[in-house]
Amino acid sequence: MATGSFFGALLSVLPVLALADGSAPSIPDTPAGHALASWLEAFNSGDRATWESFEKADAPWLSTDREIALRARSGGYDLQRIDQSDKLWITFHVKERASSAQLTGSLVVKSNDPDYISLLSLAPAGAKSGEILVDDAERGRVIEGAAKLLDEFYVFPDVARNVSAKLRAQQRHSGYRGITDGDVLATRITDDLHALSGDKHVAVDFFPEAMAPAEPASRPHPDPRQLAASNCGFEAAEHYGPNIGYLKLTVFAAPETCAPTAIAAMNFHADSDALIIDLRDNHGGAPRMVALICSYLFNEPTHLDDIYDRTENTTEQLWTLVYVPGRKFTGKPVFVLTSGRTFSAAEEFSYDLKALKRATLIGETTGGGAHTVAPQRIDEHFFIRVPFGRIINPITKTDWEGTGVEPDVQVAAAVALDEALKRAREQTTSSSRRSTVGHSGRAADRVPTAQYSGH
């Protein structure tokens, strides 16, 4: 998780909400305060069902397994004090029960959905004592810088003008007053940008360490060693009985580094009778990796997308590759698993295969982010990720921005794999039976000889 800094006392006197045992400091009676109380109650309960209920309602981006493991190690947390607080954000100190270690925390809830926690961070007390304090002047510079960069680069100029005007108005009306922590400020601005634009890609990032003037990106390309350590996002490549391939992909990493891993994964599944591609935890990545993997699923070069770039006023076509190493996976069923966390390039992959009728999508409607993004520098500590382009599907003539990709088979993400396996087994069994009917001998004695034609 991100970490934050915590300074000073309460900004104002607020009504308070006391914890049940009365031993902890009072928590402000605000949306952020309510969220803090709910988190502490769920985390300290040590009960998985209680935690899962909280996570589903308030913070679905958290990992249940990780939080339950952290609860077991820490023994839970006791609230020590509230440092700063406002309606939508709060900073605080807690003590770890198992070790008495002191931690500082920050929590932010969304402006348009105050039950949703958009930032929850913990760090050892004093770990960030040297971090910069954001003052009034810096807050003004960040808001104005973000507004100007939106006006200059955002894919839809009319939307940019509207959003930047409202962002400036929010600043004038003290919408960010009193925030001295960079992570909290970046999260609050991001939440407002999402609410004002409806675009989940636009975001502000904060860096405690000053970024060099020539730094090209708020999120530099991953180190090749880190990609290798994560297997380029290819988390699992397995087989399920009778002969069903399963590929779990958590990111579409740049093919410049990760093409060999993708090629090996697709060739590993070449002899499968059906293929399940799991994108339930995939948050996006590189469109060209999307094209590389799609290239194994089509016999002929296939037009996937048009990518419009406002900054250059150009449109680039994205096609499958004419040649890929090894054998293709064509003429056999493909299933793609989705969830509400599936986002960006993972949605592009899902949307394209659905439009081309090459795969059956199973799971939940995806997150709804179809724009291409580039980071822009506000100052040495703050960057803004600005969507500067959009994807246009050549078949539908539109995209999935704001709506997400609807699966062909709507089921909870947790059971999507079971549903896909059931359907894959039904289809491959039916196909196997059809391929042997009418031939001499018993069906069980014959092996289909034409199921890999075209490779």
Side-chain angles (χ1 to χ4, degrees), residues 112-445:
N112 63 336
D113 184 5
D115 290 329
Y116 187 98
I117 298 172
S118 52
L119 173 70
L120 176 59
S121 67
L122 292 171
K128 291 198 170 185
S129 58
E131 251 186 42
I132 68 162
L133 295 177
V134 178
D135 57 17
D136 290 340
E138 174 70 351
R139 285 194 296 274
R141 284 193 297 271
V142 172
I143 297 298
E144 185 58 28
K148 286 182 176 178
L149 289 166
L150 284 171
D151 285 338
E152 183 175 358
F153 294 108
Y154 190 75
V155 58
F156 298 118
D158 54 339
V159 173
R161 287 190 293 270
N162 180 54
V163 171
S164 60
K166 290 181 177 178
L167 194 64
R168 291 181 175 107
Q170 177 80 335
Q171 168 68 0
R172 288 195 301 271
H173 291 96
S174 301
Y176 310 104
R177 174 177 55 89
I179 300 177
T180 57
D181 177 272
D183 277 324
V184 172
L185 179 61
T187 303
R188 279 287 299 111
I189 297 172
T190 295
D191 286 348
D192 286 346
L193 288 173
H194 288 173
L196 293 170
S197 68
D199 191 324
K200 296 179 182 179
H201 269 120
V202 62
V204 172
D205 295 310
F206 169 72
F207 294 87
E209 301 291 332
M211 305 293 280
E215 177 61 48
S218 65
R219 296 195 171 208
H221 292 298
D223 187 304
R225 292 170 297 181
Q226 293 178 337
L227 288 173
S230 66
N231 206 37
C232 286
F234 289 83
E235 185 172 293
E238 303 169 353
H239 278 102
Y240 287 89
N243 186 27
I244 299 167
Y246 172 79
L247 179 64
K248 183 174 177 63
L249 186 57
T250 58
V251 67
F252 284 90
E256 290 83 357
T257 302
C258 292
T261 308
I263 291 166
M266 296 307 294
N267 276 276
F268 175 74
H269 290 300
D271 289 326
S272 299
D273 293 331
L275 177 60
I276 298 171
I277 301 176
D278 190 346
L279 303 182
R280 289 176 293 179
D281 295 310
N282 192 308
H283 304 297
R288 282 173 176 76
M289 179 59 85
V290 170
L292 173 58
I293 297 176
C294 283
S295 298
Y296 280 91
L297 306 178
F298 296 92
N299 272 324
E300 302 295 333
T302 302
H303 187 185
L304 298 173
D305 293 300
D306 294 325
I307 305 177
Y308 169 73
D309 182 335
R310 176 197 167 183
T311 58
E312 302 292 335
N313 194 27
T314 58
T315 299
E316 175 189 1
Q317 292 186 347
L318 187 69
W319 287 68
T320 59
L321 306 179
V322 174
Y323 166 78
V324 287
R327 292 184 296 161
K328 293 187 174 185
F329 189 91
T330 58
K332 295 179 287 188
V334 175
F335 301 87
V336 176
L337 310 186
T338 63
S339 75
R341 300 180 299 277
T342 306
F343 195 66
S344 195
E347 295 180 278
E348 177 190 4
F349 183 86
S350 305
Y351 192 87
D352 290 347
L353 293 187
K354 181 179 179 180
L356 290 161
K357 303 186 186 304
R358 181 61 188 94
T360 300
L361 274 55
I362 300 177
E364 300 168 347
T365 301
T366 62
H371 292 160
T372 53
V373 183
Q376 302 292 339
R377 181 188 182 90
I378 297 175
D379 63 19
E380 62 183 4
H381 291 286
F382 289 89
F383 284 69
I384 181 171
R385 284 174 270 155
V386 183
F388 66 92
R390 59 177 298 222
I391 292 176
I392 305 168
N393 184 273
I395 296 173
T396 66
K397 308 301 181 185
T398 185
D399 59 29
W400 60 94
E401 178 65 34
T403 62
V405 184
E406 288 191 13
D408 300 296
V409 181
Q410 190 97 29
V411 297
V415 300
L417 177 56
D418 292 337
E419 181 67 24
L421 285 169
K422 182 185 76 171
R423 289 172 178 266
R425 286 165 180 153
E426 289 173 351
Q427 289 193 29
T428 54
T429 299
S430 298
S431 176
S432 177
R433 286 173 179 168
R434 286 195 300 269
S435 68
T436 59
V437 170
H439 294 273
S440 60
R442 294 178 299 164
D445 294 333

Side-chain angles (χ1 to χ4, degrees), residues 101-120:
Q102 296 281 332
L103 301 171
T104 55
S106 58
L107 182 150
V108 179
V109 298
K110 283 185 173 291
S111 53
N112 63 336
D113 184 5
D115 290 329
Y116 187 98
I117 298 172
S118 52
L119 173 70
L120 176 59

